[in-house]
């Protein structure tokens, strides 16, 4: 027990010891929330005697889950059954593996990523913007709306079309035994909702539940947690309302603000001692966030003493800004600072370009977090598609991607003919080619192509058979059979692509070595659960959006683009309080020094614009000036609203009208300007 409490302050210790009933731990930035939640888990298991198998700890990124698992393992004295500590989506994946059969679905499903989702949608409908459809489908699923529900809600013609795409998309997923990211949570909840006995036994299994970063949960995740707590109220959540920055993707700040209403009898603990940042950094962070009205009162208290004052960097344009930042970074590195201890943050991704140019000119290595992920590269996606087909012969989506890679003389026209014939026969492409005689295939495609298709099917079957013999050697058999590296022979970037393929092969072998009982589908699902923050490693400075930086810390932080319109974003229904929280999150990533940069003008969207210095300088006490008081609107573009006369409509624009906000709303094709106070959000 001494080991558990040795590094905890009084507030942390009290929170750890409160094991029964609902607990809310308000953990300010850098206040040791990970230490507290891990210590509480270890205390439950080794101090109170709760079996590890009766605990469940959920977080949002693989990086956070891995760090927590490692810390818990180090602290535990006894070896035994490890506690389940994973992301929400990993929990959903594991739960569905055991229980999806209750929905008459097979448990060897494959999880598709965002890129796959968009490709499927585009094939169904290429007229409506794919990102819009993908976003609406995600919203439907997180609101537990079926395609039928979506049809009923779609009062605007475009949304009737989207509801139709949603229906076809769901059919496609079912037929190909696929699930998307949203399904991992939505289907888990539906199973618990539709099977009371399952909900009861699951709740009884997980008697003690802890949630990290609770401010990032959405409405569906709250409903899932309530199901998991149906036989008890032992839920402990750790979070910070001041770091709620994901409203745009469905996170609901009310979950943490009203936790005590959702779970009666809540005990609240506040962790305010900051162990990360120097006093000048916390002074500006506290000053900024205090301008928010909708927050739970707390204040970061410095424990690391004083340090360098926060620096304001003034530049005429983005080119001067990038030169100054490159010079400052060079100076830091010359003084012995490691590259990986430095990060450049921005609110809007487009601002990275000029900084990249400046770093390149200065010969500074950098890594763009949130740029093209390793698993999104064409050569890696091809390998993943091969594995998907070998795992599931009926995955037409992946089959079409690889059928002509390497080139086999099968053009798009030939593949389309085969696909149409397969649809008519109500078979997958694989089954159709396998069961159709060569003479009949030759009616659809050339004789040579018919033979090629037949051989391709035989090769896939042979490799699939080899997997059963040895999963570890599968990669060698795959390469020997299909010669995948030949795809990129003679290309300018051949060596880079082959290096990426070798990296993927090594990754596969490492996974199988560590998980000898796992199959190809488990490997595929692990890949799909990778996150942006899994990219943070190596000897280079980091560049990333403020959103991507959450949960990370660096000795030296540079924040660019502190201008009105960039940070904060203004207009178009932006939420000023969330913008302020973004500023607060970015400031509190810094441990030793913080540099805030703004430019008088930037080249943006095809033209140069003069810019006004961000109000955040003033609100943080870094410069003098009159405060901007702006009434916040609860509405944003895309919100569905109801008017008592005009009915349901979609917000397509927002503007100021005196002290009010004026909404431009599309009511089933008729656009009207209505004051915000005259409508309610659905």
């Amino acid at each position: 027990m001494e080991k558990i409490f040795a590094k905890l302050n009084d507030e942390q210790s009290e929170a750890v010891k409160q094991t029964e009933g609902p607990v809310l731990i308000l953990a300010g930035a850098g206040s040791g929330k990970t230490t507290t939640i891990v210590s509480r888990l270890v205390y439950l298991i080794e101090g109170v005697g709760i079996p590890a198998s009766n605990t469940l700890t959920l977080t949002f990124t693989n990086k956070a889950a891995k760090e927590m698992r490692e810390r818990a393992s180090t602290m535990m004295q006894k070896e035994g059954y490890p506690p389940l500590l994973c992301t929400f989506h990993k929990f959903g994946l594991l739960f569905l593996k055991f229980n999806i059969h209750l929905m008459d679905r097979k448990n060897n499903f494959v999880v598709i990523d965002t890129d796959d989702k968009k490709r499927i949608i585009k094939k169904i409908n290429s007229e409506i913007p794919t990102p819009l459809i993908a976003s609406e489908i995600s919203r439907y699923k997180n609101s537990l709306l079926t395609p039928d529900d979506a049809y009923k809600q779609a009062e605007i013609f475009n949304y009737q079309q989207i509801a139709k795409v949603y229906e076809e998309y769901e059919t496609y997923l079912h037929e190909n035994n696929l699930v998307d990211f949203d399904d991992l949570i939505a289907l888990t909840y539906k199973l618990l909702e539709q099977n009371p006995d399952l909900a009861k036994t699951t709740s009884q299994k997980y008697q003690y539940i802890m949630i990290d970063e609770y401010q990032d949960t959405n409405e569906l995740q709250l409903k899932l947690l309530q199901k998991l707590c149906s036989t008890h109220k032992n839920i402990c959540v750790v979070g910070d309302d001041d770091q709620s920055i994901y409203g745009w993707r469905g996170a609901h700040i009310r979950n943490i603000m009203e936790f005590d209403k959702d779970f009666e009898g809540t005990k609240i603990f506040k962790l305010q001692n900051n162990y990360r940042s120097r006093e000048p950094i916390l002074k500006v962070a506290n000053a900024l966030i205090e301008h928010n009205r909708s927050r739970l009162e707390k204040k970061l208290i410095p424990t690391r003493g004083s340090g360098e004052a926060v620096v304001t960097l003034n530049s005429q344009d983005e080119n001067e800004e990038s030169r100054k930042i490159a010079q400052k970074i060079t100076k830091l590195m010359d003084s012995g600072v490691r590259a990986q201890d430095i990060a450049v943050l921005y609110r809007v991704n487009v601002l990275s370009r000029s900084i990249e140019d400046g770093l390149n000119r200065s010969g500074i290595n950098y890594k763009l977090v949130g740029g093209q992920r390793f698993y999104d590269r064409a050569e890696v996606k091809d390998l993943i598609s091969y594995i998907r087909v070998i795992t599931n012969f009926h995955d037409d989506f992946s089959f079409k991607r690889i059928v002509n890679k390497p080139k086999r003389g099968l053009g798009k026209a030939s593949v389309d003919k085969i696909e149409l014939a397969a649809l008519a026969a109500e078979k997958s492409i694989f089954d159709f080619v396998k069961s159709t005689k060569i003479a009949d295939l030759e009616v659809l495609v050339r004789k040579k192509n018919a033979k090629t298709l037949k051989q391709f099917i035989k090769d896939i079957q042979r490799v699939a058979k080899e997997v059963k013999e040895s999963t570890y050697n599968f990669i060698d058999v795959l390469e020997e059979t299909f010669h995948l590296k030949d795809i990129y022979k003679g290309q300018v970037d051949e060596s880079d692509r082959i290096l990426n393929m070798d990296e993927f092969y090594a990754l596969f072998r490492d996974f199988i070595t560590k998980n000898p009982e796992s199959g190809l589908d488990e490997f595929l699902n692990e890949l799909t659960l990778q996150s942006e923050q899994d990219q943070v490693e190596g000897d280079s400075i980091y560049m990333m959006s403020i959103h991507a930086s959450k949960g990370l810390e660096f000795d030296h932080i540079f924040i660019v683009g502190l201008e009105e319109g960039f940070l904060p974003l203004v207009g178009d229904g932006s939420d000023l309080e969330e913008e302020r929280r973004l500023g607060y999150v970015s400031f509190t990533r810094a441990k030793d020094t913080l540099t805030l940069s703004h430019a008088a003008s930037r080249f943006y969207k095809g033209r140069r614009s003069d810019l006004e210095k961000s109000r955040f300088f003033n609100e943080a006490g870094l410069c003098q000036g009159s405060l901007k008081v702006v009434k916040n609107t609860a509405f944003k573009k895309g919100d569905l609203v109801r008017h008592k006369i005009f009915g349901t409509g979609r917000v397509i624009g927002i503007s100021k009208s005196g002290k009010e906000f004026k909404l431009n709303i599309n009511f089933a094709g008729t656009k009207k300007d209505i004051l915000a106070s005259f409508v309610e959000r659905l």
Side-chain angles (χ1 to χ4, degrees):
M1 289 308 94
E2 287 180 10
K3 188 174 183 180
I4 293 175
F5 293 102
K7 295 182 180 179
L8 302 182
N9 60 35
D10 291 345
E11 291 80 10
Q12 291 170 328
S13 295
E14 289 302 312
V16 166
K17 290 174 184 174
Q18 182 63 50
T19 59
E20 303 305 301
V23 176
L24 168 60
I25 303 175
L26 286 173
S31 63
K33 75 173 179 62
T34 303
T35 298
T36 305
I37 197 170
V38 170
S39 297
R40 192 175 187 275
L41 175 62
V42 175
Y43 179 70
L44 278 169
I45 297 168
E46 299 201 343
V48 182
I50 305 300
S53 58
N54 292 138
T55 70
L56 172 63
T57 306
L58 299 177
T59 186
F60 280 85
T61 67
N62 291 317
K63 188 177 190 299
K66 182 172 181 283
E67 181 188 350
M68 290 164 73
R69 277 196 302 270
E70 288 173 352
R71 285 208 210 179
S73 176
T74 302
M75 290 178 68
M76 286 185 183
Q77 301 294 318
K78 308 166 190 170
E79 287 190 17
Y81 188 95
L84 182 53
L85 200 167
C86 59
T87 65
F88 269 94
H89 290 94
K90 180 65 179 286
F91 172 74
L93 173 63
L94 295 171
F95 185 85
L96 292 179
K97 281 286 181 184
F98 285 104
N99 299 294
I100 202 169
H101 66 276
L102 296 172
M103 292 180 156
D104 292 324
R105 295 178 66 169
K106 296 177 182 176
N107 71 351
N108 66 337
F109 60 83
V110 169
V111 185
I112 60 169
D113 61 18
T114 305
D115 187 44
D116 294 328
K117 178 181 177 180
K118 288 179 178 176
R119 288 174 188 270
I120 295 166
I121 290 169
K122 193 160 190 175
K123 179 172 177 53
I124 296 168
N125 186 311
S126 59
E127 295 176 9
I128 303 173
T130 300
L132 171 63
I133 301 176
S135 173
E136 284 299 301
I137 288 175
S138 186
R139 185 178 68 82
Y140 291 145
K141 291 193 176 191
N142 281 286
S143 301
L144 298 171
L145 297 176
T146 65
D148 285 343
D149 296 328
Y151 272 118
K152 290 170 188 173
Q153 192 187 85
E155 296 181 27
I156 303 168
F157 176 67
N158 262 1
Y159 288 85
Q160 287 176 338
Q161 285 187 313
I162 291 174
K164 186 175 187 301
V165 175
Y166 179 31
E167 182 179 38
E168 292 184 35
Y169 171 77
E170 285 294 88
T171 301
Y172 184 92
L173 295 192
H174 282 224
E175 288 177 350
N176 291 280
N177 201 21
L178 306 172
V179 300
D180 63 21
F181 248 38
D182 296 310
D183 286 328
L184 294 175
I185 309 295
L187 294 181
T188 296
Y189 174 79
K190 285 178 182 176
L191 278 165
L192 294 172
E193 173 71 10
Q194 293 164 7
N195 299 274
D197 288 343
L198 177 62
K200 184 179 179 180
T201 55
T202 304
S203 179
Q204 288 171 337
K205 175 177 172 59
Y206 301 115
Q207 285 286 318
Y208 292 85
I209 295 173
M210 290 192 285
I211 311 299
D212 187 25
E213 303 286 10
Y214 189 68
Q215 76 281 347
D216 295 338
T217 55
N218 61 23
E219 187 178 356
L220 178 57
Q221 286 160 337
L222 169 59
K223 286 183 175 181
L224 174 61
L225 291 173
Q226 288 172 325
K227 284 289 179 192
L228 293 174
C229 291
S230 60
T231 64
H232 60 82
K233 294 298 175 190
N234 299 326
I235 178 169
C236 171
V237 304
V238 185
D240 182 6
D241 54 303
D242 290 333
Q243 296 185 71
S244 177
I245 59 173
Y246 294 116
W248 53 277
R249 72 178 188 198
H252 213 316
I253 193 172
R254 62 88 40 212
N255 287 2
I256 193 166
M257 299 287 287
E258 300 182 14
F259 178 79
D260 56 342
K261 293 178 183 176
D262 295 328
F263 298 92
E264 289 184 12
T266 294
K267 295 278 198 311
I268 300 176
F269 300 88
K270 293 183 181 180
L271 308 184
Q272 300 181 96
N273 285 345
N274 178 283
Y275 299 98
R276 177 187 297 156
S277 307
R278 298 287 183 183
E279 186 271 335
I281 296 167
L282 296 184
K283 184 179 178 182
V284 298
N286 282 328
L288 175 65
I289 202 63
E290 280 174 1
H291 286 83
N292 273 3
R293 297 173 193 170
S294 303
R295 64 186 293 260
L296 300 166
E297 189 59 38
K298 60 190 168 305
K299 191 168 186 173
L300 295 177
I301 301 166
T303 63
R304 292 188 63 219
S306 60
E308 294 181 30
V310 174
V311 173
T312 299
L313 205 60
N314 306 309
S315 303
Q316 286 302 308
D317 59 26
E318 70 274 17
N319 297 317
E320 182 183 343
E321 176 185 61
S322 67
R323 282 198 303 275
K324 287 180 176 178
I325 288 176
Q327 287 167 1
K328 283 183 170 292
I329 290 173
T330 299
K331 190 174 179 182
L332 281 170
M333 291 170 67
D334 287 346
S335 72
V337 173
R338 298 183 308 168
Q340 58 263 42
D341 293 329
I342 304 169
V344 180
L345 311 182
Y346 35 80
R347 170 69 178 89
V348 183
N349 284 322
V350 72
L351 297 184
S352 72
R353 184 200 55 80
S354 59
I355 303 299
E356 287 186 73
D357 289 347
L359 297 176
N360 283 327
R361 281 194 294 269
S362 299
I364 298 170
N365 289 332
Y366 65 89
K367 185 164 189 176
L368 195 63
V369 177
Q372 188 182 30
R373 300 192 316 158
F374 175 77
Y375 301 107
D376 289 338
R377 298 180 187 278
E379 60 274 24
V380 177
K381 292 287 280 186
D382 290 340
L383 290 172
I384 292 170
S385 293
Y386 263 96
I387 297 175
R388 280 184 171 167
V389 171
I390 288 157
T391 305
N392 175 12
F393 294 159
H394 312 302
D395 182 352
D396 285 355
F397 180 73
S398 299
F399 186 98
K400 287 187 295 178
R401 181 181 179 101
I402 62 171
V403 70
N404 200 38
K405 290 184 177 180
K407 291 190 182 300
R408 300 182 177 91
L410 291 160
K412 185 177 182 302
S414 297
V415 176
D416 286 349
K417 285 177 185 175
I418 295 292
E419 185 182 21
L420 283 172
L423 282 170
E426 297 185 336
K427 293 180 178 180
S428 66
I429 298 175
F430 182 98
D431 265 357
F432 176 79
V433 175
K434 180 186 171 188
S435 61
T436 304
K437 294 176 181 176
I438 281 201
D440 293 331
L441 283 177
E442 288 172 3
V443 174
L444 298 168
V445 296
R446 289 182 299 174
K447 187 175 182 179
K448 183 182 177 184
N449 288 346
K451 287 181 179 177
T452 300
L453 280 166
K454 281 287 192 182
Q455 185 59 48
F456 185 56
I457 296 297
K458 286 178 183 175
D459 288 341
I460 288 172
Q461 288 177 303
R462 185 168 63 81
V463 175
K465 188 178 177 183
E466 290 284 345
V467 174
K468 293 176 182 176
E469 300 295 323
S470 170
T471 309
Y472 183 86
N473 294 324
F474 157 71
I475 284 295
D476 293 328
V477 178
L478 182 73
E479 184 58 38
E480 288 165 11
T481 304
F482 295 109
H483 307 289
L484 301 181
K485 291 181 179 178
D486 290 350
I487 299 171
Y488 303 104
K489 251 186 184 167
Q491 293 191 13
V492 177
D493 55 355
E494 177 185 353
S495 59
D496 287 343
R497 290 184 183 271
I498 289 174
L499 279 173
N500 287 335
M501 293 173 78
D502 287 336
E503 177 76 8
F504 181 87
Y505 291 159
L507 185 86
F508 175 86
R509 291 191 180 99
D510 185 56
F511 176 83
I512 297 302
T513 301
K514 291 177 180 175
N515 305 276
E517 301 302 318
S518 294
L520 295 184
D521 56 341
E522 281 93 348
F523 173 68
L524 290 172
N525 289 332
E526 283 296 322
L527 293 187
T528 311
L529 294 174
Q530 297 292 324
S531 74
E532 275 185 348
Q533 293 188 358
D534 296 327
Q535 301 173 59
V536 178
E537 55 185 18
D539 187 22
S540 58
I541 74 157
Y542 293 103
M543 293 183 59
M544 68 190 83
S545 70
I546 296 170
H547 284 102
S549 76
K550 189 168 168 296
L552 303 176
E553 58 181 34
F554 298 89
D555 291 350
H556 307 278
I557 289 283
F558 295 82
I559 305 171
V560 301
L562 271 104
E563 300 103 26
E564 291 293 299
F566 286 109
L567 184 61
L569 285 180
V570 289
D572 280 348
S574 59
D575 182 339
L576 185 58
E577 295 219 341
E578 183 154 318
E579 292 298 310
R580 209 173 269 120
R581 293 194 291 269
L582 276 162
Y584 173 82
V585 166
S586 64
F587 291 4
T588 54
R589 298 311 94 200
K591 295 166 72 175
D592 294 325
T593 71
L594 174 62
T595 301
L596 307 179
S597 175
H598 76 90
S601 77
R602 290 187 189 278
F603 191 78
Y604 181 60
K605 290 185 177 178
R607 62 188 180 90
R608 182 159 295 282
S609 301
D610 293 330
L611 301 167
E612 187 180 349
K613 201 171 183 179
S614 171
R615 71 190 74 190
F616 290 170
F617 283 105
N618 184 20
E619 293 179 356
L622 290 167
C623 68
Q624 298 299 312
S626 58
L627 288 173
K628 292 183 182 230
V629 180
V630 178
K631 183 176 177 183
N632 194 27
T633 175
F635 299 98
K636 60 183 182 295
K637 280 173 76 173
D639 279 350
L640 205 60
V641 296
R642 180 183 290 122
H643 186 272
K644 61 184 178 182
I645 295 173
F646 302 117
T648 302
R650 183 79 63 175
V651 177
I652 57 175
I654 301 174
S655 58
K656 283 294 297 293
S657 179
K659 294 182 180 180
E660 263 270 34
F661 278 90
K662 182 170 65 178
L663 309 179
N664 186 233
I665 305 170
N666 187 335
F667 294 102
T670 303
K671 296 174 185 176
K672 291 186 178 292
D673 289 327
I674 306 283
L675 291 176
S677 55
F678 285 82
V679 298
E680 62 175 345
R681 181 161 59 178
L682 296 179

